[in-house]
Amino acid sequence: MTATVGVSAGIDHADSLMLIERHTEVLDLLASGATLTDVLTAVAIALEDLIPGSRCSVLLLDPSTRRLHHGAAPRLPSRYMSEIDGVTIGPDVGSCGTAAHLRTPIIAEDIRFDSRWVAFRELAAAHGLRSCWSQPIFGRSGAVLGTFAVYHLEPHVPTDRELRLVGRFVHLSGVAIEHAGLFGALADSEERFRRAFEDNAVGMALTDLHGTLTKVNKALQVMLVCNESELLDRRLTELVHPDDRTAAAAALCIPARPGAQGSGHDGVDSIEFEARLEASDGHLVVVAATVSAVRGADGRPAGLCVNLLDVTQRRAAQAERLARREAEAARRTAEAASRAKSDFLAALSHEIRTPLQAVTGFTELLQNLDLSAERRRLALHHIEGAAGHILALVDDVLDIAKIEAGALTLQNEVVDVAVLVDEVVELLRPLAAKRSVMLRTEPTDRVGAPDAAGDAADRVCADRRRLRQVLINLVNNGLVYNHSGGWVRVTVTTTDGTTVEVTDSGPGISNELQERLFQPFDRLGAEIGGEPGAGLGLALSRALTEAMGGHLTLRGGPGGGTTASVSLPGIRCSAGSAGTAGTADPAVVPIRS
């Protein structure tokens, strides 16, 4: 809001010159930061000089209480002003209270006979006041800010000149009151920021756009064991540990960019990062830093505000908790491994003892009895079978040891998966018949015909013996963990690579147990409706499948049977090519344990 001074009806040239002079004085006071009381006092005195015999007052309205309070009254009795201070505005509250209430000028030519002055008539008479006219002071928004009153010691009706003069100074008073409100809000804001900055328990600093410290609070000085003079004019990055310096410098640049205009613009107003600061006594302080742009009048970044929260103890506590959790997890893992190996050793002892007893028993029969040729042949057959079982068990244990060592030898060759499946099925038909389980294969589903070289889509590069071992294990599991009258179906598909699926009608396996089946030494046979084995079959089968570039998975749930799926990549091996068919070179393949 600006004051406008001009020559109009009722105001002569001398008045105009004095108005300009007095307006200038008041504006100078505003520019110099003078208090509102001083500015309003200057306004009142200026008008009193222009209207001889007048006594002026400015009252300020508190909108929350609707009460008028003393603003300035240089030539009115102080006791009178104290008596009317805090009066509530209303329709019959003197000239000022009524003017503020009705939002219109109120003229009381003679206070003794004016009905609006009944409550204050004696007070005015005691101080010799006979007339008063009051005009509301409006702000830019139209709200009433206060009143401007002119008193005389005798009955008086304002002339046109006096009304116009009062109008000019009422306007100037509104400018002063609103300026004081803005200035006061700014001063309050600055004080709040000062207190928030200086008294904050978090380390805080102000820097220029290059990160040079211009102001630091007490908490940051304590954190870094430095006084203010040792920190000012230093780059913030100089305080950062060398290993974190590059990242910190990059973070400081982001809010300082000219394009950093906050939400909806090209940049960001603030950024967070973590770094280590070097205190003057040599110890490191881990801080969580927040860097925000401080904007100038043009809205562009003019500096940076940095908050540095000391999280050293928090990070140490987190590291300690993590270490304890890792130690506890390692302990539980070691205990679980120990229990699993103990169970495995017990199972291994049982698995070896049973065929060894057979070997020992038949050996004693051969030594002590004169058996017929047929009975000797049967005894030797049983000894051979028991020895084969022990050898197979030892081979599995050795394979597990190789897996744990991280390497296994594979002999790659061209393998016709469909043919190999037929061999495995024929091998296990006697077991299927013994357990009254139907074992069948589905016709191979080939996508595309064999090429000119005779390669079928279901031929893969693999270790034939190892793949056969995997398929035997899966089909055997389907037969063993089944019921009389059940079935096992083996299917080969070559849609994308080659997949062998072994599906059974057994009791199924819960999701919780499926992954445990692939853990070495974990014997779950009894939990899935069968006899516990050594706990090696599926673990070894998955490791071998992955060594050949494939995947072994289980799916199905309780009561719905189980499907074991072996997927191998669709690799075409040309005879005689290095490292594939036609070569007998072993490949040492890392195995995940």
Side-chain angles (χ1 to χ4, degrees), residues 3 11-12 19 23 114 159 212 232-233 242 276 279-280 303 363 382 391 403 531 551 592:
I11 299 178
D12 60 19
L19 275 173
H23 273 68
D114 195 296
T159 65
T212 301
L232 295 183
D233 297 327
R276 291 167 295 171
S280 64
T363 300
H382 285 301
L391 181 60
I403 289 172
E531 297 180 359
H551 301 283
R592 292 190 299 107

Side-chain angles (χ1 to χ4, degrees), residues 119-256:
F120 305 95
R121 187 173 294 158
E122 293 184 3
L123 176 65
H127 295 283
L129 303 176
R130 294 288 302 276
S131 72
C132 174
W133 90 81
S134 181
Q135 193 160 320
I137 302 171
F138 294 104
R140 288 175 297 177
S141 65
V144 176
L145 304 178
T147 61
F148 196 107
V150 181
Y151 291 85
H152 282 81
L153 301 181
E154 65 278 335
H156 184 80
V157 176
T159 65
D160 182 65
R161 169 182 175 275
E162 292 172 344
L163 289 174
R164 291 181 180 279
L165 287 173
V166 169
R168 298 291 190 275
F169 283 95
V170 165
H171 179 78
L172 190 57
S173 298
V175 172
I177 294 170
E178 290 202 320
H179 177 270
L182 294 173
F183 188 81
L186 178 60
D188 289 345
S189 175
E190 289 181 347
E191 180 61 20
R192 285 194 297 270
F193 173 77
R194 185 178 297 108
R195 293 279 61 83
F197 184 88
E198 296 293 347
D199 302 338
N200 206 316
V202 174
M204 296 186 67
L206 298 178
T207 78
D208 62 16
L209 292 178
H210 302 292
T212 301
L213 295 168
T214 58
K215 189 173 184 60
V216 295
N217 71 347
K218 187 65 177 178
L220 184 58
Q221 298 173 45
V222 173
M223 182 191 302
L224 298 178
V225 198
C226 293
N227 57 43
E228 186 176 36
S229 62
E230 294 173 316
L231 292 173
L232 295 183
D233 297 327
R234 293 181 64 183
R235 289 284 185 92
L236 182 60
T237 51
E238 295 177 19
L239 308 174
V240 178
H241 187 275
D243 293 345
D244 301 340
R245 199 165 288 168
T246 301
L252 288 172
C253 289
I254 294 175

Side-chain angles (χ1 to χ4, degrees), residues 329-340:
R331 183 186 65 80
R332 288 196 298 267
T333 301
E335 289 178 351
S338 178
R339 286 194 299 270

Side-chain angles (χ1 to χ4, degrees), residues 391-426:
L391 181 60
L393 189 61
V394 170
D395 283 343
D396 284 350
V397 173
L398 289 176
D399 285 341
I400 289 293
K402 291 177 182 178
I403 289 172
E404 290 186 341
L408 188 71
T409 300
L410 298 178
Q411 298 286 347
N412 292 330
E413 59 178 300
V414 173
V415 179
D416 189 319
V417 178
V419 173
L420 185 61
V421 166
D422 290 339
E423 292 177 6
V424 170
V425 169
E426 291 304 316

